[in-house]
Amino acid sequence: MQMPGSAIAPDVSNVLYPRLVIQAVIIFLGGTALFLALGRLALFSSQGVIFFGRRRSLARWREALFPANTSAASREPRTIRVLRISFGLLWIFDAILQAKPTMPSQMVTAVIEPALTNQPGPIAWLMRGGIYFWRFSPIAADTATVWLQLGIGLLLILGSRPPLRRLAALSSIAWGLVIWIFGEGIGMLAVPGASWLAGAPGAALFYIVVGAILLCDDGYLSSERFTKVVRVGIGAFWLAMAAIQALPLEGFWSGSALSGIFSQMSSMQMPTLLANPIAFMAKATAADPALWNLIFVGVMAMIGVGILTSKQSRGFFYASLVFAFLTWWLSMGFGFLGATGTDPNSSLPLILITVALVLVSMRAPAERTVPSYPGEPRALGAAMAVIALFVAMVPMLISLPAAASDASIYAAVSDGGGLTDLGGRAAPNFSLLDQYGNKVSLATFRHKAVVLTFLDPVCYDVCPIMASEITTGVAHLGTSASKVAMVAIDINPSFTSLAAIRQFDAEHALNGIKNWYYLTGSLHQLDKVWKDYLVSPSTGPIGMLSHPQVVYFISPRGAEVALTGDSGAPQSSLVASYSSLITSTTKITLAS
């Protein structure tokens, strides 16, 4: 069973790879067809053929896909060509990393959820939305991600002509924003511990910047003004990284925050020659974090000031490359060596930008020309890249209607009510008394789905809301509601009497609802049930009762189907969303 928000098996290569192969065939055939069609249209347009009642000029696309003998690349600034091709290769490399068989299942737990920790509310809300949609159809999402990144990479490599370069640039910006927000949590800039050493501001931000650069006119990209913008931008970036590293709230001047960055990398599997220096840095920064943090802040500040003030010297740019490479190795572990690495982290993109926009421009005259690519092979590759972008979106678009049908549950999912698939194990049995004094066990509800929660009979805020969400959610099932038992079990060890739970039912208009059962028993009986369902209550610092706020879904066969949290928040939108979540999950439970 696959539910919105649930986990999936860790190895799905038997599903992922066949999809990738099938889509590769579609991309090849579709790209070939597009290549032949555009080639024929370009030929017709050159002969003055009229389409749809008027002359349709295809000169722009013919120039892009079927260049004449004069080189398009010769008119493109060499620095931009190097930047375009290097980032095209980078996108393709990222696609290869994304195609690892464990990525569909581990993308959320190993990549997105760690970046979600301590994020402020708005960013966390967006990231949880990304988690929801990924888990709704993880195989389709990962397959789409692979082909999107391959398509963008191929377009960048082949797109020296303006139409293709603009399409590649816009695609790079759009998909880069998705990754930067949903996958990288805006580069971890909004959480404590943000640091260049830990990968801030996120690799995807550099992909976005490069896409914006490639949208610019070639004349501007060859101008002195652009050169100045590049110098100021790189210098300001290093100063900003130094300032973030120096902020006391980031916690790098004392404690284990700084050494933790290197310790995490030292635990990765890599050759001893690469691992030993990382282990040394972990020990050194743990021994004297203030000294090492001062060194890092000073180096980044020196590089930034040097680039901004020393206009003719390459020395500070070389220094930035050396420092970026060392941090890529020692504190980022090259980014992609881990089992769940999806890109080479922030250092490599910055190195490529610095080399392409600064060092290449210093060493090569702008008017230098290079041989052109053969027109037809490049046209076929470009056509396949365009098809890849469309094919990549198909699985996502297929998933959207199903996801949209459950869109009402998203607020609950983002609030912490994500579903956990319990795998169909047997639900622990219990034998208690209902609100009328009748003996009730789990077997009593055989052939019915059970929505099970734990409520405090003297609670006046969260518990009544959860009871209302459950009863409302089940009522939305219509005629199927009669096949569902709504069971609440007393979780307050101080109020276990029948009078207490009857009072709760009366106060919240639950005593007239069919299939509502509020159960209690002796403290010994209740304690066993609490332990079986992992919901044992605890007493807070001022004597208030605290307990897990969960809802179990048990199938008519007595098997645990799913578990969801419930914040019990009073906002009407959240109450309605939790009710919808209960409705949709109970439907799945009835069919289990």
Side-chain angles (χ1 to χ4, degrees), residues 40 128 146 162 168 179 205 216 243 299 310 363 378 380 478 541 548 588:
R40 182 62 59 88
R128 288 193 185 104
V146 170
I179 296 172
L205 183 61
C216 298
V299 170
S310 182
R363 306 181 86 176
R378 183 176 66 174
L380 177 58
I588 296 173

Side-chain angles (χ1 to χ4, degrees), residues 83-106:
L83 188 70
R84 173 175 54 78
I85 294 175
S86 62
F87 269 80
L89 294 172
L90 202 54
W91 273 115
I92 292 174
F93 181 64
D94 292 351
I96 294 172
L97 293 176
Q98 195 68 45
K100 288 181 290 190
T102 56
M103 286 312 300
S105 60
Q106 295 187 9

Side-chain angles (χ1 to χ4, degrees), residues 146 218 236 437 525:
V146 170
D218 284 353
Q525 290 174 314

